[in-house]
Amino acid sequence: MNGWAGSVEGYKQQGRDYVVQGNWQAAYQCFEAVIGLAPTVENYFEFGNLLQSQQQWERAENYYRRVLQLCPQCVEAYGNLGNLYVAQERWEQALFCYQQVLAVRPEDAETYYHVGRLFQLQQHWQLAVDYYQQGLRWAHDPILTYYQLGQVLDELGRWEEATDCCRQVLLRMPDSADSYYQLALVLQKQGHQFSALSYCQQAVELSPGEARLHFGYAQMLLRMGKLQAGWREYEWRIGTSELIFELPQPRWDGSPLEGRRLLIHWEQGFGDTLQFVRYLRLIKGGKVLLVCQRSLVSLLKEGLIGVENCEVFSQDQELMGLNFEVWLPLLSLPHLFGTDLGNIPNEVPYLSVESNWIDYWQSRCSLREMRKIGIAWAGSPTHTNDRMRSCSLSYFAVLKQVPQVVLCSLQKGSVAGEVRKVGFEVLDFSEEIRDFRDTAALVCGLDLVICVDTAVAHLAGALGKPVWVLLPYFADWRWLMGREDSPWYPTIRLFRQQKVGDWAGVLEQVRAALLEGDS
């Protein structure tokens, strides 16, 4: 500290200079000296802010609490403490702090925003809406509030209101690519596909290097059936969180392999792997090394039909230990093979299961003269649209009204236990199903599979089994728009919600179809 002025203001100014330089440890020393000379509310608060900005949560909390000991009504300290607790997901403590601010400043728009954000992060959507709307009453600069309110209303399926919020943001930020993009997202969910596509194009033009925008644009094109243009844009996913790994070997460009070894790497979910391994049949002239998720290995090692010279490895395999010259992410294959609606490689089955596994599961589920229907009602909870695409098992109760039907659960994961809580019988083998080979063998012995948009649908479709897929109002791009069939799977039939969240209506359609004897 040689050369520093020995006064409070001298140390404080030196500390601020170090902050500008990014020399945090020296800045801390300066402010500790300030506190030693003048332990005031102002100095505790400034040091707390500095520590919080560097995520020094415990030390920042300590200094804010010292502020509140000296000045119990200091709403600024309560507000910053609330933000600190949110960053640590200490929700109840954060809410308490924000409530102290609102008790003193009931028209504080910024605090209403923070409480809305707190509830949004916990997925308490309606509470978030309530606080955001309160904040809008007093906000002088409401852009962030409109933006987040639009996001929450989108989650609730209140898309017209979300559209209004997006337009309010766009009105205030007319050159913002993200504003155009968010508006495009909510418009497409209302069926305004061409308007959505136009706004998304404007977003891409404003920020042409932003991979996230191209990825969203790709999904809009694919949903509209513009596959070739969609696949080109879909390559931008490699710059997003959807695909975050890269390998030192060059990516395959589709040129003849001429004996080279090609590594194909899985990406995204189980359903994506099951849907797109069909393309391995089209790869000729070299060796294919497929790296896939652990629970798919046994199925794909034995069950890929028509695939030449292929080895299957688990995701646990150390890639540097594999010998290959070129590689490609699995979902780049449709683009490489120029896929459009007219040339999708949709011959099924393209997966099979050894007969001994099928025989075993048929013996476990042998009910003569009964129509055996496999069901799955939920996908992975980490999927971005899982709240809309999954439903409760209780909706399937209406299927028990159909004579000679027995329901068999194909569900895995934490929700599989719902079978023990509903008031109707469902055969449950969830504890015996170890991986997708077991599920596939069980499916082979069933008459029909009825499920939401999850990996089970792709598995049954790949096996060539009849599948009825239950879709939310706004479905994933791969199911296109308005169709009851799928160009990807000849044996799939689609049942779509006619209004947001109406699973009861979808299952009633299914019940009626079963009574009519459809398959």
Side-chain angles (χ1 to χ4, degrees):
M1 295 187 185
N2 291 336
W4 292 0
S7 67
V8 169
E9 288 305 315
Y11 281 125
K12 191 180 293 188
Q13 186 56 52
Q14 186 69 66
R16 290 168 179 166
D17 290 343
Y18 279 128
V19 168
V20 172
Q21 298 168 29
N23 189 342
W24 306 111
Q25 291 304 320
Y28 297 160
Q29 291 176 13
C30 289
F31 277 98
E32 284 166 355
V34 169
I35 296 296
L37 292 171
T40 65
V41 166
E42 176 189 350
N43 294 333
Y44 282 137
F45 187 74
E46 185 171 356
F47 196 15
N49 288 347
L50 171 60
L51 292 164
Q52 183 173 1
S53 73
Q54 297 307 302
Q55 300 183 7
Q56 299 287 315
W57 307 126
E58 187 174 346
R59 294 178 69 190
E61 180 182 1
N62 177 50
Y63 282 104
Y64 289 141
R65 291 203 172 281
R66 292 189 193 183
V67 170
L68 292 169
Q69 287 173 356
L70 296 174
C71 181
Q73 296 301 310
C74 181
V75 292
E76 290 81 4
Y78 273 120
N80 284 8
L81 258 181
N83 297 341
L84 182 150
Y85 290 141
V86 166
Q88 299 175 83
E89 299 184 2
R90 294 161 65 179
W91 309 119
E92 291 185 7
Q93 290 164 285
L95 182 59
F96 173 81
C97 290
Y98 292 141
Q99 287 172 334
Q100 304 312 302
V101 178
L102 292 174
V104 177
R105 297 178 179 171
E107 298 180 0
D108 191 296
E110 183 178 354
T111 301
Y112 281 110
Y113 171 83
H114 286 309
V115 179
R117 187 78 179 125
L118 178 152
F119 285 125
Q120 181 180 356
L121 290 169
Q122 296 177 84
Q123 299 186 8
H124 298 327
W125 308 118
Q126 188 53 53
L127 284 170
V129 168
D130 294 342
Y131 276 90
Y132 284 143
Q133 289 178 335
Q134 279 275 78
L136 285 174
R137 294 170 59 188
W138 295 290
H140 298 296
D141 183 10
I143 290 176
L144 279 177
T145 303
Y146 273 124
Y147 181 86
Q148 297 296 350
L149 178 58
Q151 300 278 308
V152 174
L153 291 167
D154 183 7
E155 289 286 348
L156 289 169
R158 291 160 59 178
W159 294 319
E160 289 186 8
E161 295 171 81
T163 299
D164 291 339
C165 289
C166 290
R167 293 193 186 280
Q168 289 293 333
V169 175
L170 193 56
L171 188 66
R172 293 165 172 82
M173 299 180 67
D175 297 324
S176 165
D178 190 65
S179 299
Y180 281 103
Y181 181 63
Q182 295 302 325
L183 179 56
L185 293 180
V186 294
L187 284 171
Q188 70 166 340
K189 292 176 182 179
Q190 298 169 75
H192 306 312
Q193 300 299 329
F194 291 100
S195 295
L197 197 65
S198 175
Y199 280 113
C200 199
Q201 285 172 327
Q202 291 180 71
V204 170
E205 289 168 5
L206 284 167
S207 187
E210 191 168 349
R212 175 180 63 99
L213 305 182
H214 285 275
F215 184 55
Y217 185 43
Q219 293 177 80
M220 290 184 189
L221 290 166
L222 293 170
R223 182 174 289 105
M224 296 172 73
K226 301 175 183 293
L227 297 195
Q228 292 204 6
W231 298 129
R232 280 196 303 273
E233 290 291 312
Y234 202 71
E235 289 300 286
W236 280 85
R237 78 195 182 286
I238 295 169
T240 73
S241 59
E242 298 294 330
L243 189 62
I244 57 175
F245 68 90
E246 191 59 84
L247 297 173
Q249 289 85 348
R251 266 185 245 155
W252 184 43
D253 60 3
S255 59
L257 286 173
E258 298 177 339
R260 288 180 297 171
R261 297 163 66 90
L262 165 65
L263 182 138
I264 300 292
H265 202 289
W266 70 279
E267 54 176 298
Q268 303 180 54
F270 294 117
D272 297 284
T273 301
L274 290 166
Q275 180 176 359
F276 292 102
V277 290
R278 69 181 69 213
Y279 281 91
L280 300 184
R281 294 179 295 185
L282 306 182
I283 301 173
K284 309 293 182 183
K287 174 91 171 182
V288 174
L289 312 179
L290 173 65
V291 178
C292 68
Q293 299 97 314
R294 188 180 310 112
S295 56
L296 284 170
V297 170
S298 60
L299 171 65
L300 298 182
K301 269 189 174 181
E302 301 167 359
L304 288 168
I305 297 175
V307 178
E308 298 177 2
N309 204 10
C310 177
E311 286 187 66
V312 178
F313 300 90
S314 170
Q315 66 187 88
D316 304 317
Q317 173 75 36
E318 176 55 57
L319 296 185
M320 292 301 105
L322 296 178
N323 178 26
F324 58 97
E325 287 76 39
V326 287
W327 81 286
L328 200 69
L330 179 62
L331 271 69
S332 288
L333 288 171
H335 172 54
L336 211 58
F337 284 103
T339 305
D340 59 27
L341 287 175
N343 65 7
I344 291 173
N346 63 358
E347 301 84 2
V348 295
Y350 57 86
L351 290 180
S352 65
V353 189
E354 291 184 356
S355 58
N356 60 313
W357 289 103
I358 297 174
D359 293 342
Y360 169 77
W361 282 103
Q362 281 187 326
S363 70
R364 297 287 291 112
C365 189
S366 59
L367 295 164
R368 295 178 181 176
E369 300 179 1
M370 298 290 283
R371 192 175 188 186
K372 293 175 285 188
I373 298 177
I375 60 173
W377 56 94
S380 168
T382 61
H383 189 279
T384 54
N385 197 41
D386 190 63
R387 200 174 65 86
M388 291 295 188
R389 71 167 184 166
S390 296
C391 69
S392 167
L393 172 59
S394 61
Y395 286 109
F396 285 75
V398 296
L399 305 189
K400 297 297 288 185
Q401 300 171 15
V402 181
Q404 300 298 106
V405 159
V406 61
L407 301 181
C408 175
S409 172
L410 302 172
Q411 187 66 50
K412 291 291 288 180
S414 58
V415 297
E418 284 188 34
V419 296
R420 294 183 290 274
K421 301 174 184 177
V422 293
F424 56 94
E425 184 180 6
V426 180
L427 297 181
D428 179 22
F429 302 109
S430 59
E431 294 185 2
E432 299 177 53
I433 295 175
R434 297 164 298 176
D435 59 18
F436 276 93
R437 180 174 61 180
D438 285 331
T439 305
L442 178 53
V443 165
C444 285
L446 301 174
D447 299 299
L448 175 65
V449 171
I450 301 175
C451 62
V452 297
D453 177 11
T454 185
V456 169
H458 296 284
L459 176 64
L463 293 165
K465 297 294 293 184
V467 196
W468 293 359
V469 183
L470 318 179
L471 296 178
Y473 185 84
F474 179 70
D476 191 72
W477 59 263
R478 71 200 70 217
W479 307 118
L480 303 173
M481 299 185 303
R483 295 179 62 147
E484 295 182 359
D485 67 333
S486 168
W488 294 97
Y489 301 102
T491 61
I492 275 185
R493 179 176 175 183
L494 306 176
F495 292 78
R496 299 175 182 267
Q497 287 181 356
Q498 299 305 304
K499 58 183 179 180
V500 178
D502 183 22
W503 288 116
V506 172
L507 269 298
E508 180 54 37
Q509 293 177 52
V510 170
R511 185 189 73 88
L514 286 172
L515 286 171
E516 292 170 5
D518 294 352
S519 62

